[in-house]
């Protein structure tokens, strides 16, 4: 069910961005390609958030010597970098974050 919910949200975000472009008469392939790039990073962000939810901020693993060690979850840093790229794409397109309805806000909690 989470995959279906995610694909619905993904479709809504993409459609909202494309609609904003259309309202600004930015319909050239360059702009729609940048939306595709944004959506790629959107999927990466979703995967990183899922990894953080599963592993937490730190996780235990076994190093090369067979000793269990605790390591920081690299998804935290990667999420920050991904978010910066996404915001840059929106700024380059002169777009705002997609508006979500009040029922969609629960998906982000």
């Amino acid at each position: 069910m989470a995959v279906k919910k995610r694909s619905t949200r993904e479709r809504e975000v993409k459609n909202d961005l494309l609609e904003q472009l259309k309202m600004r008469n930015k319909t050239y392939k360059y702009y729609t390609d940048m939306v595709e790039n944004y959506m790629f990073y959107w999927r990466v962000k979703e995967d990183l958030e899922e990894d953080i939810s599963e592993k937490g901020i730190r996780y235990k693993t076994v190093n090369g010597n067979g000793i269990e060690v605790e390591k920081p979850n690299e998804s935290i840093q990667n999420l920050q970098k991904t978010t910066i790229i996404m915001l840059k794409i929106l700024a380059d397109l002169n777009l705002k974050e997609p508006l979500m309805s009040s029922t969609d806000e629960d998906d982000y909690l």
Side-chain angles (χ1 to χ4, degrees), residues 24-59:
R24 290 178 171 83
N25 289 324
K26 294 182 177 183
T27 56
Y28 295 107
K29 179 67 178 152
Y30 169 79
Y31 297 114
T32 56
D33 189 51
M34 287 195 64
V35 169
E36 292 298 330
N37 289 339
Y38 179 89
M39 296 312 300
F40 169 80
Y41 286 107
W42 186 89
R43 289 185 295 274
V44 169
K45 176 190 72 75
E46 293 292 307
D47 291 342
L48 292 169
E49 288 175 347
E50 186 177 318
D51 182 65
I52 294 167
S53 292
E54 289 175 7
K55 290 182 182 174
I57 295 173
R58 300 184 66 78
Y59 65 97

Side-chain angles (χ1 to χ4, degrees), residues 3 11 14 28-29 50 59-60 69 90 103-104 107:
V3 172
R11 192 170 34 257
K14 181 178 178 180
Y28 295 107
K29 179 67 178 152
E50 186 177 318
Y59 65 97
K60 292 183 181 181
V69 294
L90 289 178
T103 56
D104 291 336
D107 292 342

Side-chain angles (χ1 to χ4, degrees), residues 72-90:
N73 189 341
E74 292 178 11
S75 291
I76 300 288
Q77 293 168 331
N78 291 332
L79 179 60
Q80 293 169 342
K81 292 174 186 176
T82 301
T83 302
I84 290 168
I85 293 168
M86 291 172 71
L87 291 172
K88 174 83 171 105
I89 291 171
L90 289 178

